[in-house]
Amino acid sequence: MTPVSGEEVTIGIDIGTTAVKAVAADADGRVVARTRIPHQLRVPAPDRLEHDADEAWRRGPLAALNQLARPDALAVAVSAMVPSLTAVDADGRPISPGLLYGDGRGRVPGTPADGPFPVGEAAEFLRWTAAHAPDAAGYWPAPAVANYALAGQAVVDFPTAFTAAPLFDATGWNAEVCGQYGATAGQLPRVEAPGTAAGQVGDAVVAVGAIDALCEQLVSGADNAGDVLVLCGTTLIVWVTVPEAQQVPGLWTIPTATGMSQIGGASNAGGLFLGWVDRVLAPGNADAVDPRRVPVWSPYLRGERTPFHDPDRRGMLDGLELGHDAAALRRAAFEASGFVVRQLIELSGAGVTRIVAAGGGTRVLPWMQAIADATGRPVQVSGVAEGAALGAAFLARMAVGKESAITDAARWATVERVVEPRAAWVEPVGERYRRFLELASLR
């Protein structure tokens, strides 16, 4: 796209589980250019989940920036999933696998994953990586690799660093703890606040970004009490906004930039599960199914995060009959994801006013319909599927003085469409939801 004179364009780059997504946005949050660079998600063993870190974290962001072709951009910022870790050489090039959230090499023996992020997972990543690449120049998560590739600066944001506890504490990288896991504090990246300038790529400032889910939240508009934000990516994430922090067993509670809190968490019943279903089933129209003839999936192919925190939980398919076809099984898979959304909402105990769906999965219409049917509520679908990249683009504006408050990102929120629950599906879906809960209790 040819640059328009007078546009204050910034770029957001999101390193996702299956692709790098990037957008260029103007001052009003309108996307004026976008690109997607796919990369391989490697599962070398049932308990492994990794990237070729050079492909996904270094070359992917560089290729995305090049394909956007916006030399007029004022600034660029990177968001990424957490936790992640790789070893790098003196030139910042990854030399070990890029370990991702949920990989068994991050499991802490005998410790339940009951915090907002599995406490100690990043530290165990460091233990494994340092042992397998002891001569590495550094041990960096995905955004540090990308920021170094762009600007020669190995830097991450404070939220990303905090997910690396106990390696990181309120004062910085804890040298003693890092040593216990095989590294020095100096081998870990610099930490700065989101939206601050970190370096330069061409004529553009490289800004410090943030965790992908945080960037999605910034531009979702789901900031009021009772708002439910459903992030439909490789991981399914559900956040219910509540006025005050509260603790519910199995759920996570985090503060928001507006002074409220969110309760909910991440589930493996998102794109990771649905993508597997898509690969193993024949084509079928999930919307052309008899509402009363759908089986029930328990969607935990890689264990489950919230609310069970059980890496050994596995999937099952219940109630199969000869009349079921690929379309019925696909619909069941989308319903299972919707059932997880409903389950997390109900466990939160919070009053719900509306549901906002964001992320790349919002372009999968049967998924959105299943969430509406499963929850019995309208689903407002975000106008920009690349929400994490868009949120990063807003943080890039902060680094060049175009924005002063992170909460102002809410003005970039747009709704593309509203998906209504269907009356004919309410009763049979409700019956299947009860069976879904029964299956979950069998573990």
Side-chain angles (χ1 to χ4, degrees):
M1 180 177 293
T2 303
V4 177
S5 178
E7 279 187 334
E8 293 181 349
V9 170
T10 54
I11 289 172
I13 299 174
D14 173 43
I15 304 173
T17 307
T18 58
V20 173
K21 289 86 68 178
V23 300
D26 68 12
D28 296 317
R30 289 187 294 262
V31 174
V32 298
R34 52 170 38 96
T35 193
R36 184 178 188 272
I37 311 294
H39 50 244
Q40 183 182 14
L41 176 62
R42 305 194 306 202
V43 187
D47 66 339
R48 300 287 174 97
L49 197 68
E50 67 184 36
H51 281 157
D52 175 336
D54 191 68
E55 174 197 24
W57 304 356
R58 189 184 72 85
R59 287 182 280 131
L62 290 172
L65 184 64
N66 182 62
Q67 286 196 15
L68 283 180
R70 296 295 305 215
D72 58 325
L74 301 177
V76 56
V78 175
S79 72
M81 68 270 130
V82 292
S84 62
L85 196 75
T86 190
V88 298
D89 64 17
D91 295 319
R93 292 175 180 266
I95 56 174
S96 72
L99 307 188
L100 299 175
Y101 58 88
D103 188 289
R105 287 165 284 191
R107 190 180 301 186
V108 182
T111 302
D114 57 359
F117 298 94
V119 176
E121 185 176 22
E124 292 299 326
F125 281 176
L126 178 60
R127 187 197 303 278
W128 185 91
T129 304
H132 284 74
D135 298 325
Y139 303 104
W140 298 349
V145 174
N147 287 331
Y148 192 87
L150 293 168
Q153 298 293 323
V155 58
V156 297
D157 56 285
F158 276 102
T160 292
F162 275 117
T163 68
L167 301 173
F168 189 83
D169 56 33
T171 60
W173 299 111
N174 186 308
E176 180 179 354
V177 174
C178 289
Q180 294 171 4
Y181 288 89
T184 67
Q187 290 175 295
L188 298 170
R190 190 171 90 247
V191 183
E192 300 285 353
T196 57
Q200 201 85 13
V201 55
D203 293 329
V205 169
V206 173
V208 179
I211 298 170
D212 54 0
L214 174 58
C215 287
E216 291 259 18
Q217 171 68 32
L218 292 177
V219 294
S220 70
D223 301 319
N224 298 315
D227 286 348
V228 179
L229 177 61
V230 181
L231 302 179
C232 301
T234 301
T235 299
L236 178 72
I237 304 177
V238 180
W239 291 125
V240 184
T241 303
V242 293
E244 298 177 350
Q246 59 191 64
Q247 299 299 319
V248 175
L251 303 190
W252 309 339
T253 301
I254 62 172
T256 73
T258 62
M260 295 192 180
S261 291
Q262 291 178 322
I263 186 167
S267 166
N268 288 333
L272 191 65
F273 164 65
L274 295 173
W276 174 83
V277 171
D278 188 62
R279 291 193 300 274
V280 300
L281 289 182
N285 181 6
D287 287 330
V289 175
D290 183 338
R292 297 185 178 277
R293 301 193 65 184
V294 179
V296 179
W297 279 100
S298 190
Y300 311 119
L301 304 184
R302 282 190 55 83
E304 180 57 313
R305 298 165 80 181
T306 314
F308 302 113
H309 306 290
D310 179 3
D312 297 319
R313 187 173 286 260
R314 288 295 178 262
M316 66 180 81
L317 185 57
D318 180 73
L320 281 176
E321 60 182 60
L322 285 175
H324 286 145
D325 57 10
L329 269 62
R330 286 178 181 276
R331 167 66 194 193
F334 290 123
E335 275 189 7
S337 188
F339 289 158
V340 170
V341 174
R342 177 172 172 176
Q343 180 185 34
L344 295 180
I345 290 173
E346 290 182 352
L347 287 174
S348 76
V352 173
T353 56
R354 68 182 183 129
I355 295 176
V356 178
T362 58
R363 297 300 175 258
V364 183
L365 299 184
W367 192 0
M368 298 302 97
Q369 186 64 63
I371 293 174
D373 292 339
T375 60
R377 294 179 177 274
V379 175
Q380 298 182 12
V381 178
S382 173
V384 177
E386 307 92 342
L390 186 64
F394 184 89
L395 294 176
R397 286 181 58 81
M398 294 187 68
V400 291
K402 297 296 182 179
E403 304 288 345
S404 58
I406 200 168
T407 53
D408 288 342
R411 78 172 192 274
W412 281 15
T414 57
V415 174
E416 180 183 83
R417 64 187 181 279
V418 178
V419 179
E420 298 283 349
R422 298 172 294 183
W425 288 76
V426 172
E427 181 181 349
V429 167
E431 293 174 357
R432 288 193 290 275
Y433 176 62
R434 288 186 286 275
R435 181 57 180 158
F436 170 84
L437 295 178
E438 291 173 356
L439 293 173
S441 69
L442 295 178
R443 171 62 179 168

